[in-house]
């Protein structure tokens, strides 16, 4: 069950050019959290900016009740978030939405672009615990805008990076790197989160090779709980009707989604 | 123990044109789904009335994305009345909502006067609804909606048509997108309205300078949140002075002080919309805040405050 909690900030630091990592204690939310779900955060006490900001669960330590977020400064809200100091309280709703389908004992590929890598770390942790064989492909524009792959490495999960400017790893699109690095016959499932063009390239490849998978989508959100119908999106399978990203997603079967 | 004493001392209940509410707090249509969506975050049995998402005769899919956009101390929305249609609402949603003992208010919109009447007739046959709020003010649909709310003659006709189909309290929701709110309120009264709900969102828009396009898929949207509070207060003040009907007031309420301002300019009860998105427990908190205020002021009930600031 989702809940509202005042999290206690433990740390909040810059880990890249516009990239930050925040850790806070919110044991109630942490205990309920599944990979792919998100939290809805109030970034200030007054009413401008007004709405909460949705952020993915980057990592969870259920024993400590600790939630870690990875966020990119995109505007005023995330900028205010970066001003939180240790020992401050933060108003959090969560976990919200439906997360990823957690397979058992399969061979899976995780593809993250930019800050879209965030939900894939917690996912990798849970997939690892379920005896899956995991390979992570992580793309970004430049190394200084990406988080360190260490957290994946520490899980014992293989990760390859690609940057558009070649500052680290493969130079070019992460999806191009992925295509040349994997054997589609040995893949059971894809999980992807990032820019839609990137997810579309993953989905296209998956269709070609008849592999299933899931994508995590974004849309502007107000309520985050399915009450306002603000985050609607059409799926291929639902004709004219819309689904709610916040409640029916943000994770959807890859082949149900019309990627832009 | 103290709680029991309080309940004996002050009367927070409200009679809104025949609709009984345990306290003056309603949650506004379209911001609280069908009442279930927020149940993990707020005790919905502590809310005076839950006004559910606007319902039309037929199913509506709503507008293209993006449907919402944040603005200074407010937000624009252009949902487009996405809803499953009145029959699905009454047959599939209502039975499970009723069990909570929550005061449920339907919110309806039609393309024609006859549609408003037909929807009301269907609602009247189902137990479990305490009142009907008439959305004659939705800025986000091409047909119906706001056009009904800007022409006094049409307002009167719609209210009359609905009144002839139901015994339930009928509460037209007025559009602020008019030059003379008082004439619209009078037309609603002349049509037989039991109470007035005001205000709905103010029509607005936002522009994306990178894409050189309107932000919203629907181009225009309704502005809500703290940004519209002064407009809402002014309109309620004007209507309270001229029209002798109870008012359900709202527009930008995010705390107890805001709610008190609305009551002081003439609202018998208040509705909270966008505020739910900011703080999902807000309705319960403001209900408690108002009760504390009434006690602190040494009053017998909340009704004593209604219109107290109107000169
Ligand atoms: C389910 C979900 C999970 C997300 N997870 C992460 C994450 O883990 N890390 C991360 O850095 N970002 C994540 N985002 C995006 C993040 O919510 C936005 O970047 C943030 O809300 C921007 O707020 P702002 O005030 O800083 O920027 P603004 O100035 O408000 O806007 C900057 C840009 O951010 C986008 N945006 C603004 N508000 C929203 C909103 N309410 N919902 C979606 N997009 C918005 C818009 O496209 C806008 O152009 C996620 C979004 C969703 C929907
Ligand atoms: C996302 C959203 C959806 C809404 N949908 C409806 C609706 O279906 N019917 C209606 O009468 N009003 C609708 N409204 C208007 C609200 O009920 C309320 O009148 C308005 O937002 C002003 O109050 P607020 O500032 O407290 O939000 C909607 C408002 C929002 C923000
Ligand atoms: S954000 Fe309100 S329904 Fe999804």
């Amino acid at each position: 069950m989702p809940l509202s909690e005042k999290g206690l900030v433990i740390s909040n630091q810059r880990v890249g050019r516009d990239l930050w990592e925040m850790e806070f204690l919110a044991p109630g939310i942490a205990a309920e959290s599944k990979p792919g779900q998100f939290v809805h955060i109030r970034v200030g006490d007054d009413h401008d900016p007004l709405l909460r900001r949705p952020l993915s669960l980057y990592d969870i330590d259920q024993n400590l009740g600790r939630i870690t977020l990875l966020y990119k400064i995109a505007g005023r809200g995330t900028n205010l978030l970066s001003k939180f100091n240790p020992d401050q309280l933060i108003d959090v709703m969560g976990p919200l939405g439906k997360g990823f389908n957690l397979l058992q004992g399969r061979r899976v590929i995780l593809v993250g672009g930019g800050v879209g890598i965030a939900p894939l770390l917690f996912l990798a942790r849970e997939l690892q615990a379920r005896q899956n064989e995991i390979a992570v492909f992580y793309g970004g524009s430049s190394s200084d805008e990406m988080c360190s792959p260490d957290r994946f490495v520490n899980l014992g999960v293989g990760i390859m990076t690609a940057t558009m400017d070649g500052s680290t790893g493969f130079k070019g699109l992460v999806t191009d790197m992925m295509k040349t690095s994997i054997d589609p016959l040995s893949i059971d499932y894809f999980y992807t989160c990032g820019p839609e063009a990137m997810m579309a390239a993953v989905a296209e490849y998956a269709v070609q090779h008849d592999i299933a998978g899931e994508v995590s989508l974004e849309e502007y959100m107000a309520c985050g709980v399915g009450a306002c119908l603000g985050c609607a999106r059409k799926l291929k399978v639902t004709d004219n009707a819309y689904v709610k990203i916040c409640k029916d997603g943000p994770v959807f079967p890859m082949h149900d989604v019309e990627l832009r | 123990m103290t709680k029991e004493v309080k309940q004996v001392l002050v009367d927070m209940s409200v009679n809104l044109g025949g609709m009984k509410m345990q306290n003056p707090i309603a949650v506004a249509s379209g911001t609280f789904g069908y009442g279930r969506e927020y149940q993990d975050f707020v005790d919905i049995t502590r809310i005076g009335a839950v006004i559910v998402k606007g319902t039309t005769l037929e199913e509506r899919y709503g507008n293209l994305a993006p449907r919402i956009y944040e603005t200074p101390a407010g937000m624009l929305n252009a949902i487009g009345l996405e809803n499953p249609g009145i029959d699905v609402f009454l047959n599939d949603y209502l039975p499970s909502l009723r069990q909570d003992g929550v005061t449920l208010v339907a919110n309806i919109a039609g393309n024609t006067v006859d549609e408003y009447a037909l929807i009301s007739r269907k609602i009247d046959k189902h137990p479990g609804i305490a009142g009907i709020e008439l959305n004659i003010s939705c800025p986000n649909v091409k047909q119906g909606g706001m056009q009904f709310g800007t022409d006094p003659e049409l307002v009167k006709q719609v209210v009359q048509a609905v009144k002839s189909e139901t015994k339930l309290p009928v509460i037209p929701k007025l559009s602020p997108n008019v030059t003379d709110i008082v004439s619209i309120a009078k037309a609603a009264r002349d049509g037989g309205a039991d109470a007035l709900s005001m205000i709905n969102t103010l029509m607005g828009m936002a522009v994306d300078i990178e894409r050189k396009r309107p932000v919203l898929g629907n181009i225009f949207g309704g502005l809500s949140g703290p940004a519209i509070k002064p407009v809402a207060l002014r309109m309620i003040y004007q209507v309270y002075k001229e029209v002798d009907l109870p008012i359900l007031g709202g527009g930008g309420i995010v705390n107890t002080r805001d709610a008190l301002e609305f009551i002081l300019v003439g609202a018998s009860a208040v509705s909270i919309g966008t505020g739910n998105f900011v703080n999902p427990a807000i309705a319960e908190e403001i209900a408690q805040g108002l009760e504390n205020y009434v006690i602190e002021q040494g009053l017998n009930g909340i009704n004593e405050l209604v219109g107290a600031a109107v000169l």
Side-chain angles (χ1 to χ4, degrees):
Chain A
M1 241 175 46
L3 59 147
S4 218
E5 209 167 2
K6 294 273 189 272
L8 178 68
V9 176
I10 307 170
S11 71
N12 190 18
Q13 35 189 313
R14 231 175 82 157
V15 295
R17 197 165 62 202
D18 286 323
L19 204 59
W20 288 65
E21 211 179 274
M22 177 188 272
E23 290 181 316
F24 59 87
L25 294 178
I29 296 173
E32 301 279 328
S33 292
K34 307 245 169 358
Q37 291 186 299
F38 65 97
V39 284
H40 213 23
I41 296 193
R42 233 184 124 179
V43 294
D45 289 334
D46 62 10
H47 293 99
D48 192 29
L50 182 67
L51 299 174
R52 289 170 179 265
R53 296 295 190 263
L55 293 172
S56 303
L57 301 165
Y58 178 44
D59 209 0
I60 299 281
D61 185 323
Q62 254 140 6
N63 294 327
L64 295 178
R66 186 182 64 199
I67 296 175
T68 312
L69 307 175
L70 178 73
Y71 61 97
K72 190 184 153 130
I73 309 263
R76 284 178 65 205
T78 41
N79 189 43
L80 282 170
L81 195 63
S82 73
K83 307 287 187 245
F84 274 83
N85 292 314
D87 292 338
Q88 240 179 300
L89 294 177
I90 185 161
D91 181 347
V92 187
M93 288 166 72
L96 301 178
K98 289 205 175 68
F100 292 106
N101 184 13
L102 297 174
L103 298 180
Q104 185 93 41
R106 310 300 281 273
R107 292 162 302 182
V108 301
I109 302 290
L110 278 54
V111 189
V115 78
I117 194 72
L120 303 186
L121 178 67
F122 183 25
L123 175 66
R125 179 185 296 288
E126 292 294 317
L127 289 174
Q128 184 81 325
R130 288 170 176 73
Q131 291 81 41
N132 293 282
E133 233 175 81
I134 307 166
V136 181
F137 295 90
Y138 175 25
S141 47
S142 179
S143 65
D144 62 356
E145 289 178 18
M146 296 168 73
C147 64
S148 151
D150 289 356
R151 282 179 175 265
F152 287 91
V153 175
N154 293 342
L155 286 179
V157 170
I159 177 166
M160 289 175 76
T161 50
T163 49
M164 294 310 292
D165 66 0
S167 50
T168 183
F170 175 88
K171 182 172 195 288
L173 293 171
V174 63
T175 42
D176 289 342
M177 171 177 67
M178 177 199 82
K179 286 177 203 166
T180 57
S181 320
I182 62 175
D183 171 9
L185 294 176
S186 70
I187 305 300
D188 296 318
Y189 209 71
F190 283 102
Y191 297 95
T192 179
C193 180
E196 291 213 5
M198 182 206 80
M199 294 195 288
V202 176
E204 194 190 358
Y205 181 88
V207 168
Q208 276 165 14
H209 297 96
D210 203 17
I211 304 168
E214 285 169 305
V215 295
S216 179
L217 300 181
E218 280 190 15
E219 197 57 73
Y220 277 88
M221 288 185 182
C223 70
V225 298
C228 75
L229 309 177
C231 62
R233 181 88 184 237
K234 258 181 200 157
L235 291 193
K236 284 182 193 159
V237 286
T238 49
D239 302 323
N240 290 319
Y242 291 88
V243 291
K244 292 169 276 230
I245 301 284
C246 69
K247 184 88 179 176
D248 305 319
V251 174
F252 293 93
M254 187 172 268
H255 303 309
D256 290 356
V257 174
E258 205 116 30
L259 293 160
R260 297 191 276 244
Chain B
M1 188 61 212
T2 46
K3 198 154 184 192
E4 276 169 39
V5 176
K6 275 183 203 167
Q7 279 166 354
V8 177
L9 283 178
V10 298
D11 181 10
M12 296 304 289
S13 71
V14 169
N15 183 333
L16 192 76
M19 190 174 84
K20 301 220 166 36
M21 295 166 62
Q22 57 166 316
N23 64 49
I25 307 298
V27 283
S29 178
T31 66
F32 212 77
Y34 292 92
R36 289 280 180 203
E37 289 81 352
Y38 271 117
Q39 67 182 3
D40 295 328
F41 300 95
V42 59
D43 179 359
I44 57 175
T45 66
R46 295 261 295 130
I47 300 176
V50 171
I51 310 176
V52 300
K53 175 68 191 168
T55 307
T56 50
L57 191 57
E58 312 281 349
E59 176 177 25
R60 281 206 201 174
Y61 297 130
N63 292 329
L64 289 175
R67 292 176 168 189
I68 53 175
Y69 187 71
E70 193 181 54
T71 57
M75 65 177 282
L76 289 164
N77 89 80
I79 308 299
L81 281 180
E82 178 181 339
N83 80 91
I86 188 67
D87 291 333
V88 172
F89 168 69
L90 290 173
N91 297 324
D92 299 352
Y93 293 21
L94 186 58
S96 73
L97 298 176
R98 283 176 52 196
Q99 291 161 12
D100 289 316
V102 173
T103 300
L104 278 180
V105 179
N107 173 287
I108 66 169
N111 292 323
T112 60
V113 171
D114 289 346
E115 268 189 34
Y116 279 96
L118 184 53
I119 300 168
S120 305
R121 192 184 315 155
K122 286 172 183 268
I123 291 174
D124 197 62
K125 292 208 181 76
H126 281 75
I129 304 242
I132 303 178
E133 187 179 53
L134 301 183
N135 183 358
I136 50 171
S137 48
C138 183
N140 298 327
V141 286
K142 300 245 150 38
Q143 281 196 303
M146 205 171 78
Q147 86 192 41
F148 281 100
T150 54
D151 175 347
E153 190 46 40
L154 270 178
V155 169
K156 189 173 154 193
Q157 278 178 30
V158 170
V159 178
Q160 262 171 347
V162 169
K163 280 297 289 181
S164 69
E165 297 290 351
T166 179
K167 293 261 175 311
L168 291 171
V170 172
I171 311 168
K173 184 166 180 181
L174 307 188
S175 170
N177 303 299
V178 296
T179 27
D180 181 7
I181 189 75
V182 173
S183 66
I184 303 286
K186 284 180 173 163
R189 176 200 60 198
D190 296 345
D194 297 289
L196 299 172
S197 170
M198 55 194 292
I199 61 175
N200 208 318
T201 54
L202 284 154
M203 188 128 94
M205 74 177 290
V207 181
D208 180 338
I209 60 165
E210 264 85 48
R211 288 170 51 245
K212 300 189 175 65
R213 286 284 178 282
V215 168
L216 295 173
N218 188 52
I219 305 176
F220 303 136
L223 181 64
S224 64
I228 72 168
K229 192 182 82 171
V231 179
L233 289 170
R234 182 267 293 177
M235 289 187 154
I236 291 163
Y237 187 105
Q238 286 176 313
V239 168
Y240 179 78
K241 275 185 89 134
E242 301 277 334
V243 182
D244 190 20
L245 279 181
I247 297 171
L248 173 62
I253 297 175
V254 291
N255 56 41
T256 302
R257 285 187 73 93
D258 294 336
L260 280 167
E261 289 177 39
F262 278 80
I263 292 168
L264 291 172
V265 298
S268 299
V270 296
S271 68
I272 298 165
T274 306
N276 295 301
F277 306 153
V278 182
N279 171 9
I282 189 171
E284 211 180 332
E285 286 175 19
I286 295 182
Q288 188 60 54
L290 287 180
E291 186 171 331
N292 294 347
Y293 181 84
V294 167
I295 294 166
E296 277 160 33
Q297 295 279 311
L299 306 171
N300 297 315
I302 189 78
N303 297 325
E304 292 171 40
L305 292 169
V306 177
V310 176
L311 305 174

